[in-house]
Amino acid sequence: MCSDPAMVSISVRPERFSHQLIAESGEFAINLTTEALVRKADEAGVRSGRDCNKWELLGLTEEKASKIKAPLVKESPVNLECRVTERIPLGTHDLFLAEVLAVDVDKSLMDEKGKFCLEKAKLVAYSHGEYYALGALLGTYGYSVRKKG
């Protein structure tokens, strides 16, 4: 959204449990998803934290953040610690604008000069219900919990 100050935006449906947590705390973490984590990320998206402990269910590790109270996903190689600056109702979603207070990056993704090597991260993108890594379809929303036919 902006480079100085570093800012991001996320949009969340008000009925989501995460919306309530973000609205109350004014903070959130963005934990980037990798090919190795995509199935767990998908299942996290189709389950509500109101109904289960996602940390235990998915076997993920909570890590203490340096600038915010919200936990980070230790298994994620890149975490953004964010503080909300504005909430804008858009209709089905609210847009949260947030300043990035800290960026936590796994050292294995940095080269000898301290440059981030995106290609090593094997990050995943989600678009219109589908997951992509380098253009390859990895799954569709909810595939981790569908019954096999």
Side-chain angles (χ1 to χ4, degrees):
M1 298 290 305
C2 184
S3 55
D4 189 15
M7 296 191 72
V8 295
S9 68
I10 62 168
S11 59
V12 183
R13 290 180 178 272
E15 60 270 15
R16 293 274 192 172
F17 185 50
S18 56
H19 183 285
Q20 176 187 335
L21 297 174
I22 294 167
E24 289 173 1
S25 70
E27 300 176 337
F28 61 89
I30 297 175
N31 303 282
L32 298 187
T33 301
T34 63
E35 290 179 30
L37 291 172
V38 70
R39 188 172 188 88
K40 291 180 181 197
D42 181 73
E43 189 168 355
V46 298
R47 304 219 186 259
S48 175
R50 282 187 189 102
D51 305 324
C52 65
N53 180 325
K54 292 185 194 185
W55 299 102
E56 289 178 12
L57 177 72
L58 301 172
L60 295 172
T61 310
E62 288 185 67
E63 186 166 61
K64 186 170 174 41
S66 63
K67 302 284 184 183
I68 62 173
K69 291 181 181 162
L72 307 177
V73 175
K74 183 176 184 174
E75 292 79 4
S76 173
V78 181
N79 315 92
L80 306 176
E81 300 181 34
C82 307
R83 181 163 296 132
V84 175
T85 60
E86 190 173 351
R87 178 172 139 196
I88 304 168
L90 299 175
T92 59
H93 291 68
D94 284 355
L95 180 74
F96 291 95
L97 298 176
E99 185 172 353
V100 177
L101 303 179
V103 178
D104 308 294
V105 180
D106 186 304
K107 290 180 176 132
S108 70
L109 300 179
M110 306 300 285
D111 69 13
E112 61 281 348
K113 294 180 182 177
K115 181 182 174 200
F116 176 66
C117 300
L118 180 65
E119 68 282 358
K120 290 182 181 179
K122 298 191 178 194
L123 297 178
V124 172
Y126 177 79
S127 178
H128 300 284
E130 299 173 331
Y131 299 94
Y132 290 93
L134 303 173
L137 178 63
L138 300 176
T140 58
Y141 181 78
Y143 82 104
S144 63
V145 295
R146 281 197 197 110
K147 292 183 180 178
K148 294 183 168 108

